[in-house]
Amino acid sequence: MHRRQKPSASEHKRDLAAHGGALSMSHNDTRSFFNFSQLVLSAGHLKSPPVLKHSKITYFEVEILDVQSKKQICIVDKVPPSSTLLDVKHKFHKACPQWYPSRVGLQLERNGPYLKDSVNIQSLAVSSIITLYFTDLGQQVSWTTFFLTEYTGPLLIYLLFYIRLSTIYDQVESTKNFRHPVVHLSCFCHCLHYIRHLLETLFVHKFSGGHTPLKNMIKGCAFYWGFTSWIAYYINHPQYTPPSFGHRQACFAALAFLMCEAGNHFINVALAHPSHSGLQACFPSPTYNPFTWLFLLVSCPNYTYEIGSWISFTVMTQTLPVGIFALLMVIQMSLWAQKKHKLYLKRFYPEVRRKAALIPIIF
């Protein structure tokens, strides 16, 4: 029977050292793997870095040709797609300083309409090169300047005749003759009419176009200033004959005049601040204000009230110049009303189709 020999103490220590080293290495490897796993989990998913895509902006070149000779005037380059026609006009003005933006008229076709400044340049593009035709519109003035000049003249001219300057009337007749009350009433109504126009130009009206040719302002001033001089000369003349029915005719006509002036003002306010339904604008509808009820019958009640004012002024003064001026205003307002009525039919057909343009049934 053989005895098993016990390992010596030195051998036993060698075995423990070897076994302990192995355990130590295994423990360190596990701990390192655990730390690496925690690092990966905290960093999230492993992804390749995103590739940066540089967006390419397409620029347009606008070639501007003379509408008559078809010769190239200049090329406006590097026009962004978000630019408007007004931006192109400003760049064109830098290249050709003699033509400022309000004087420049641009067309897609030689006989086509002038493009609005608010048109987006991208909507005109068929390719990267856009060809436009240039027309010199001449000296321009703003619409505010146009109306202020046109309406200030009649106001001042009438007052010059009302005070009976010695250079206009005979001074002896002016001091002898008694002024009929209708002369003072006419001056009040005439001044009120043009003061209302001036205030509405400044605080009520919103002008769609920025400018108009200077020649239009000259023609408008010649018309209004000339007729005002003719009207004021007769009404304020020392030998002026009062209306046939005296105070009764003048008072009723003045009342109608004031009502038409009030109606015209309230209609202009309603047109300047139309009601809205969602995102689509609606045709102005009558409100609790009785002067706006004319919207039920006609599409342009402001012109209807304007005609009523001048017809009332004609009855009140009973003079031929006022009658002729009122007749011309009826013709002009009818043309404007028909033109605006057609635009209303395109935009608000269901609401406007049964309305007259100016006067119920007649126009």
Side-chain angles (χ1 to χ4, degrees):
M1 188 174 186
H2 297 282
R3 283 187 180 177
R4 186 177 182 182
Q5 295 180 352
K6 295 182 180 179
S8 64
S10 60
E11 293 177 354
H12 182 69
K13 287 181 180 180
R14 285 197 302 267
D15 293 340
L16 286 176
H19 184 69
L23 290 176
S24 176
M25 289 177 61
S26 176
H27 178 72
N28 289 337
D29 292 343
T30 305
R31 190 167 185 177
S32 299
F33 179 77
F34 177 77
N35 291 337
F36 178 75
S37 301
Q38 291 294 325
L39 179 64
V40 171
L41 292 176
S42 64
H45 298 288
L46 293 176
K47 285 186 178 180
S48 59
V51 179
L52 296 177
K53 296 181 179 180
H54 299 282
S55 60
K56 295 182 179 180
I57 301 176
T58 304
Y59 291 97
F60 295 101
E61 288 186 359
V62 180
E63 181 187 25
I64 300 179
L65 308 179
D66 183 75
V67 71
Q68 299 294 336
S69 62
K70 294 186 180 180
K71 292 182 179 179
Q72 185 185 96
I73 300 176
C74 75
I75 293 180
V76 181
D77 57 352
K78 293 185 178 181
V79 179
S82 59
S83 299
T84 61
L85 201 67
L86 183 60
D87 299 328
V88 175
K89 288 184 178 181
H90 281 292
K91 291 187 176 182
F92 178 61
H93 174 56
K94 290 182 180 179
C96 305
Q98 66 271 29
W99 293 306
Y100 49 89
S102 62
R103 188 167 181 163
V104 176
L106 296 177
Q107 305 160 276
L108 269 177
E109 300 175 357
R110 295 183 66 188
N111 297 324
Y114 293 114
L115 299 172
K116 294 183 179 180
D117 291 345
S118 59
V119 172
N120 189 280
I121 200 67
Q122 192 171 12
S123 64
L124 306 175
V126 178
S127 63
S128 60
I129 300 177
I130 303 171
T131 302
L132 298 176
Y133 294 93
F134 161 75
T135 302
D136 184 8
L137 300 178
Q139 188 74 21
Q140 302 286 302
V141 294
S142 66
W143 280 109
T144 302
T145 304
F146 175 88
F147 287 114
L148 290 179
T149 306
E150 190 176 68
Y151 296 143
T152 302
L155 179 63
L156 299 178
I157 289 172
Y158 196 98
L159 291 176
L160 292 177
F161 283 92
Y162 176 74
I163 61 178
R164 290 184 176 177
L165 295 176
S166 58
T167 55
I168 301 176
Y169 302 112
D170 183 76
Q171 193 65 24
V172 177
E173 290 187 356
S174 299
T175 54
K176 285 183 179 180
N177 289 13
F178 169 74
R179 291 198 188 193
H180 195 274
V182 73
V183 175
H184 304 292
L185 185 60
S186 300
C187 180
F188 170 77
C189 292
H190 191 275
C191 292
L192 177 66
H193 177 78
Y194 284 102
I195 289 174
R196 177 184 64 80
H197 273 303
L198 290 171
L199 294 177
E200 288 178 353
T201 299
L202 293 173
F203 304 110
V204 177
H205 292 302
K206 299 176 181 178
F207 304 109
S208 56
H211 298 81
T212 185
L214 178 63
K215 60 182 180 180
N216 289 348
M217 188 180 76
I218 295 175
K219 290 190 294 184
C221 290
F223 176 77
Y224 280 97
W225 294 15
F227 262 103
T228 300
S229 302
W230 192 22
I231 290 170
Y233 176 81
Y234 274 88
I235 296 176
N236 296 287
H237 199 280
Q239 297 181 359
Y240 167 73
T241 304
S244 302
F245 297 97
H247 294 291
R248 182 178 298 180
Q249 178 178 342
C251 290
F252 278 109
L255 181 61
F257 178 88
L258 295 176
M259 291 180 64
C260 289
E261 287 294 302
N264 202 339
H265 171 70
F266 289 118
I267 293 297
N268 287 332
V269 172
L271 291 174
H273 304 283
S275 58
H276 289 75
S277 176
L279 298 176
Q280 295 181 348
C282 299
F283 185 78
S285 56
T287 63
Y288 62 88
N289 188 340
F291 291 105
T292 62
W293 293 352
L294 201 56
F295 273 122
L296 295 172
L297 302 175
V298 297
S299 60
C300 304
N302 52 327
Y303 295 150
T304 306
Y305 281 122
E306 184 78 10
I307 291 174
S309 295
W310 286 110
I311 292 177
S312 302
F313 195 74
T314 303
V315 175
M316 179 174 56
T317 58
Q318 197 173 308
T319 55
L320 180 62
V322 181
I324 295 176
F325 183 76
L327 177 61
L328 294 177
M329 292 300 290
V330 170
I331 297 173
Q332 183 63 73
M333 295 295 166
S334 301
L335 297 175
W336 287 346
Q338 290 291 337
K339 184 178 179 180
K340 187 171 288 188
H341 186 71
K342 291 180 181 179
L343 296 177
Y344 285 155
L345 285 174
K346 293 180 180 179
R347 295 183 59 192
F348 315 109
Y349 176 72
E351 302 170 85
V352 185
R353 60 176 180 172
R354 295 186 178 181
K355 300 179 189 295
L358 184 66
I359 299 176
I361 300 174
I362 300 177
F363 295 103

